[in-house]
Amino acid sequence: MSHEAPLFLKTVLITREAKQAHSFAAQIKKLGGIPLSLPVLTFARSNNEKEVEEVLLSIYCFDWIVFTSQNGISFFFEWLKELNISWSALKRLKVAAVGEKTAKLLEKHDVNVQLVPKEYVAESLLESLKANVSHHERVLLVRGQLARSVLKDGLKECEVTDLVVYQTIRNQDSERLVKQHLETGIDAITFTSSSTVKFFVESIKDIPNWLELINRTKVVCIGPITSQTASEYGIKHLVPNTYTINGMIDMLVSCFE
């Protein structure tokens, strides 16, 4: 490996869920870095089975379906499969996705996405929906239990059904290693959601100087909402211009140039 590699021997802590961390870790390694994949959270299907079943069995009544995350898509299609509902019968429905990666995952499920906002945050998605959804149309929001209420609150003039299909859970299995690496020293920490910030802090808050240790590293947050959460904890950080993993990679490279 060349000493001129942009992230040569820089240790980068990835806090996102294990399955989602693979491509992120591969990019860091390709640039000469040492990825430390220590997920502080994990995901599980929601336990409101009766509600999910009732809504999805009447899914034909909706005009729009809005997906706010890739996790929401994965669990949504798991539920459809379990209930023996074919997406091919739902193709008349209009679909909105919060970002490009979410839209691409939907396309893999043979879903035609009509709406993707310019910025990959709920506020931008809300403005796009307001410009395209008629007041008489019924909207289904597919989300996790920790998603913010921006869309639900902003679409009050429409008939909105808020459906939680998965839950985000703190991953306690990684806590010992997270603490160990933070205390021995790492070069960078990445946060891809407010939940990763929250669960990361919860996992290390019994270390007396935890904030000082974090602020010795380069911290990169994926976007403005994650940034806001980090600021609430006093964590110094950077945010890329593009709110994507690739944007975070570019920011990490610029940090160590």
Side-chain angles (χ1 to χ4, degrees):
M1 184 188 304
S2 171
H3 287 67
E4 296 180 359
L7 298 178
F8 181 69
L9 296 184
K10 300 298 182 184
T11 53
V12 180
L13 180 59
I14 302 173
T15 57
R16 73 184 321 198
E17 194 268 341
K19 291 180 181 178
Q20 299 174 338
H22 289 305
S23 60
F24 198 175
Q27 290 184 69
I28 290 170
K29 192 172 183 179
K30 187 176 180 180
L31 293 170
I34 302 171
L36 300 173
S37 183
L38 295 174
V40 296
L41 50 76
T42 188
F43 304 109
R45 59 185 282 165
S46 58
N47 51 17
N48 55 336
E49 295 187 11
K50 185 176 180 181
E51 178 188 357
V52 174
E53 183 174 339
E54 287 177 355
V55 171
L56 293 184
L57 288 175
S58 62
I59 197 170
Y60 309 94
C61 300
F62 292 95
D63 301 289
W64 282 87
I65 301 181
V66 182
F67 293 95
T68 60
S69 70
Q70 294 180 61
N71 292 314
I73 295 169
S74 299
F75 283 98
F76 174 82
F77 278 94
E78 280 187 20
W79 283 105
L80 287 190
K81 184 177 181 180
E82 184 171 313
L83 296 170
N84 199 28
I85 299 172
S86 171
W87 177 259
S88 60
L90 306 175
K91 287 194 173 182
R92 71 164 191 82
L93 301 178
K94 289 171 279 190
V95 178
V98 72
E100 181 182 345
K101 291 285 182 67
T102 309
K104 285 183 176 178
L105 182 56
L106 283 165
E107 289 168 3
K108 290 181 179 179
H109 286 279
D110 197 28
V111 176
N112 184 29
V113 180
Q114 283 78 26
L115 191 154
V116 181
K118 291 181 179 180
E119 289 192 345
Y120 307 150
V121 292
E123 286 79 2
S124 184
L125 177 57
L126 174 61
E127 292 308 310
S128 297
L129 286 167
K130 282 184 174 180
N132 288 275
V133 178
S134 301
H135 291 173
H136 68 275
E137 291 185 304
R138 296 188 65 188
V139 180
L140 175 62
L141 299 180
V142 177
R143 67 178 185 89
Q145 98 279 19
L146 296 182
R148 295 178 301 135
S149 62
V150 171
L151 295 175
K152 181 181 178 181
D153 294 343
L155 294 172
K156 286 182 178 178
E157 295 180 351
C158 304
E159 188 175 347
V160 177
T161 298
D162 195 26
L163 184 64
V164 175
V165 297
Y166 75 96
Q167 53 188 328
T168 305
I169 304 167
R170 180 175 163 189
N171 180 18
Q172 297 182 341
D173 293 340
S174 295
E175 290 187 7
R176 182 183 61 80
L177 287 174
V178 167
K179 291 176 183 178
Q180 178 183 318
H181 283 291
L182 186 63
E183 290 183 309
T184 56
I186 50 180
D187 296 298
I189 303 171
T190 59
F191 294 118
T192 52
S193 66
S194 289
S195 299
T196 58
V197 179
K198 178 176 179 290
F199 292 151
F200 182 84
V201 171
E202 287 181 359
S203 71
I204 50 90
K205 63 184 179 182
D206 58 343
I207 300 175
N209 61 333
W210 65 266
L211 183 57
E212 178 187 347
L213 293 174
I214 292 177
N215 286 336
R216 287 177 185 173
T217 71
K218 301 292 184 182
V219 177
V220 178
C221 294
I222 196 168
I225 308 306
T226 308
S227 169
Q228 181 180 337
T229 305
S231 294
E232 289 170 0
Y233 285 110
I235 298 172
K236 298 175 183 177
H237 62 278
L238 299 165
V239 181
N241 293 325
T242 305
Y243 309 147
T244 62
I245 296 300
N246 288 338
M248 296 181 77
I249 293 288
D250 291 340
M251 180 60 73
L252 284 169
V253 169
S254 67
C255 285
F256 295 112
E257 282 182 338

